[in-house]
Amino acid sequence: MVVITKRYRICNRSNPDWVKNFTPQLDFTGAEVVWAVREEMAMTVEDVLARRLRAIFLDARSAIEVAPVVASIMAREMGKDKAWEEAQVNNFITLANGYLLTPYVSEENAN
């Protein structure tokens, strides 16, 4: 409980929106992503969504859907550019597809 409170207190100062859940399927917030980068030295979207939050194991499809938001938060925290964000999301989708029975296809590519 103390760790969670500390996470929210530290990260909430930066952006109050980070305390909202990204999706009902996965119970985690932007504050936890920021915490993973700032305090646990997470360096990739895979590192956050697989190792820190375990989201890929709970619901790989939902993890894929939040990967762009996670990449965006991480990029701001780490001073990375849009190309880094896109590469991180693409790498994560490739990995997460291995956890799905039917591969993830984005709405853009579905049509």
Side-chain angles (χ1 to χ4, degrees), residues 22-52:
F22 287 129
T23 175
Q25 291 82 6
L26 298 171
D27 186 26
F28 69 88
T29 66
E32 291 171 281
V33 174
V34 172
W35 179 267
V37 172
R38 290 183 187 176
E39 304 295 328
E40 298 177 353
M41 295 181 275
M43 300 299 292
T44 65
V45 171
E46 175 188 349
D47 198 2
V48 171
L49 291 176
R51 293 181 198 92
R52 313 301 169 151

Side-chain angles (χ1 to χ4, degrees), residues 7-73:
R7 288 180 190 179
Y8 286 122
R9 188 174 61 241
I10 289 171
C11 299
N12 196 19
R13 291 182 188 136
S14 301
N15 188 334
D17 289 336
W18 287 340
V19 296
K20 298 175 187 169
N21 283 350
F22 287 129
T23 175
Q25 291 82 6
L26 298 171
D27 186 26
F28 69 88
T29 66
E32 291 171 281
V33 174
V34 172
W35 179 267
V37 172
R38 290 183 187 176
E39 304 295 328
E40 298 177 353
M41 295 181 275
M43 300 299 292
T44 65
V45 171
E46 175 188 349
D47 198 2
V48 171
L49 291 176
R51 293 181 198 92
R52 313 301 169 151
L53 301 175
R54 317 284 294 163
I56 197 170
F57 306 114
L58 298 171
D59 186 339
R61 196 167 304 278
S62 292
I64 289 171
E65 290 170 4
V66 300
V69 177
V70 171
S72 176
I73 292 170

Side-chain angles (χ1 to χ4, degrees), residues 1 10 12 28 30 53 56 58 75 86 89 93-94 105 107 111:
M1 183 66 127
I10 289 171
N12 196 19
F28 69 88
L53 301 175
I56 197 170
L58 298 171
E86 291 171 5
V89 171
I93 290 171
T94 300
V105 179
E107 291 180 17
N111 297 324

